[in-house]
Amino acid sequence: MAESLTIPTTFSKEEKYKTLLPQFKALIGGETDVIANFANISAALKQAFYFFWVGFYIVKRDELVLGPFQGTIACTRIKYGKGVCGTAWKEKRVVIVPDVNEFPGHIACDALSQSEIVVPLFYKDEVIAVLDVDSELINHFDQIDATYLQQVVNLLEASLSEA
Ligand code: SME
């Protein structure tokens, strides 16, 4: 695995994602333990983008259970279909919430969080976890984040299939 990240400071958000993706690939390369990879990807995204909260919830029976994350303490369990995370799981799609105050059923783990993006992670066509990223800014996430966070999740999915 890579020992450290080289984080560009002057690029656009898209350039930053493009520069970091190969580094994220190297970071999890050769490691097949899912918790170890979730932990390092959480840390890498937090370190690179200063997101307010970034982490994973893992499917366990009918709910999501808190996994590796970086940020303030968080809710530990989310039911299927509940909140932004449970919605992304149920609908099997990326969910972007520009303003969490306007998302019915949003689960507020920290009142500072204002916008959110959730990307489901699949194994054999089933959602087995979600990547959740929160910002303290309204309307922080757009299609660029959706595209590249999806690619980060794809890297993790590929590491699972090698396990
Ligand atoms: N807001 C999420 C809950 C998880 S926290 O943001 C860390 C939701 O509504 O599912």
Side-chain angles (χ1 to χ4, degrees):
M1 63 164 267
E3 295 293 319
S4 63
L5 295 177
T6 303
I7 301 169
T9 51
T10 54
F11 294 161
S12 68
K13 178 164 73 174
E14 184 162 24
E15 287 300 320
K16 201 166 172 182
Y17 274 118
K18 281 185 180 167
T19 307
L20 285 160
L21 263 177
Q23 299 186 58
F24 291 172
K25 187 174 182 183
L27 181 65
I28 62 173
E31 178 54 70
T32 55
D33 187 276
V34 67
I35 298 298
N37 286 338
F38 284 180
N40 257 344
I41 289 294
S42 300
L45 285 170
K46 175 86 170 161
Q47 193 183 333
F49 293 97
Y50 306 104
F51 291 131
F52 176 70
W53 195 95
V54 48
F56 293 84
Y57 280 88
I58 299 167
V59 172
K60 295 193 178 167
R61 290 179 291 279
D62 65 339
E63 57 189 1
L64 292 164
V65 180
L66 183 63
F69 72 97
Q70 296 273 316
T72 52
I73 57 171
C75 335
T76 53
R77 288 171 191 268
I78 299 171
K79 290 282 183 199
Y80 180 74
K82 300 295 179 190
V84 186
C85 292
T87 299
W89 175 18
K90 183 176 178 184
E91 298 183 4
K92 296 186 169 183
R93 65 177 179 91
V94 177
V95 178
I96 296 176
V97 179
D99 181 350
V100 297
N101 304 299
E102 297 189 356
F103 185 92
H106 168 257
I107 299 163
C109 294
D110 190 314
L112 287 175
S113 174
Q114 297 297 313
S115 60
E116 182 164 356
I117 182 169
V118 179
V119 183
L121 190 151
F122 291 82
Y123 183 70
K124 294 186 176 167
D125 297 329
E126 289 301 322
V127 176
I128 60 154
V130 300
L131 168 62
D132 180 18
V133 186
D134 289 35
S135 172
E136 68 276 55
L137 304 174
I138 296 256
N139 208 12
H140 188 137
F141 303 104
D142 57 20
Q143 279 308 315
I144 292 174
D145 298 288
T147 298
Y148 288 96
L149 291 174
Q150 178 67 67
Q151 291 189 32
V152 173
V153 164
N154 291 348
L155 292 174
L156 289 162
E157 289 171 342
S159 79
L160 291 175
S161 61
E162 289 160 11

